Amino acid sequence: MPKFKFHKLVRDKIVDHQIASGAIPHYHRLSNDQHKEELVHKVIEEAKEILNAGENEIASEIADIQQAIDDLKEKLGLSDNDVRVAQNTKNIKNGPFKKGIFVDYVEVDDNDAWAVYYRKHADRYPEID
């Protein structure tokens, strides 16, 4: 019997479906902290799938992302209102993502506070020549 690596969080009924189809899933339940981490990975996984989804699959992929976010909010004790307030605060300060503005790179003075921040997060903002 061939084996296929999953190594990922799945929806709650997937194992039942696998067993019903004759498959033998090898799985375990995650700790609370592991579950939170894997929900974040699930959001990333599903978001990447949108890039290759057909028009009739996009809503389904977004639904997967929304479910992972809803479950993560519950694990973290956050309400829809908590997230809405944080979203509104960010939108007031920095705006939403509606205009499609894409920054290729930014130049700042060497002693600017942002230069310190960008260097501290070099994995996200690598310094270029």
Side-chain angles (χ1 to χ4, degrees):
M1 184 177 264
K3 297 178 184 177
F4 299 92
K5 183 176 180 178
F6 267 52
H7 196 72
K8 65 179 184 175
L9 180 67
V10 297
R11 286 179 173 265
D12 293 348
K13 294 182 182 179
I14 293 296
V15 167
D16 294 337
H17 295 318
Q18 290 171 331
I19 293 169
S21 75
I24 304 169
H26 297 264
Y27 66 96
H28 64 279
R29 294 199 187 269
L30 300 171
S31 71
N32 194 46
D33 286 343
Q34 290 170 322
H35 194 179
K36 290 176 199 174
E37 184 175 337
E38 290 304 321
L39 283 166
V40 172
H41 290 298
K42 181 57 69 175
V43 170
I44 294 166
E45 172 195 340
E46 298 298 340
K48 287 180 179 178
E49 289 180 9
I50 290 174
L51 294 172
N52 297 317
E55 279 188 45
N56 60 340
E57 301 167 319
I58 291 174
S60 179
E61 298 301 342
I62 292 173
D64 286 342
I65 294 167
Q66 187 63 57
Q67 188 62 57
I69 289 171
D70 289 347
D71 293 346
L72 185 58
K73 285 187 307 190
E74 184 178 326
K75 282 262 170 214
L76 297 171
L78 296 170
S79 69
D80 289 340
N81 190 58
D82 293 332
V83 174
R84 197 170 14 263
V85 167
Q87 181 180 9
N88 288 339
T89 300
K90 283 192 157 208
N91 286 348
I92 290 167
K93 181 179 179 187
N94 297 319
F97 298 102
K98 292 181 180 183
K99 293 180 181 178
I101 298 169
F102 186 93
V103 175
D104 293 302
Y105 63 92
V106 63
E107 296 179 56
V108 295
D109 280 338
D110 201 38
N111 56 358
D112 186 283
W114 282 106
V116 173
Y117 177 85
Y118 297 143
R119 286 182 178 129
K120 184 177 178 183
H121 300 281
D123 56 318
R124 291 176 22 211
Y125 307 104
E127 198 162 345
I128 57 176
D129 294 326

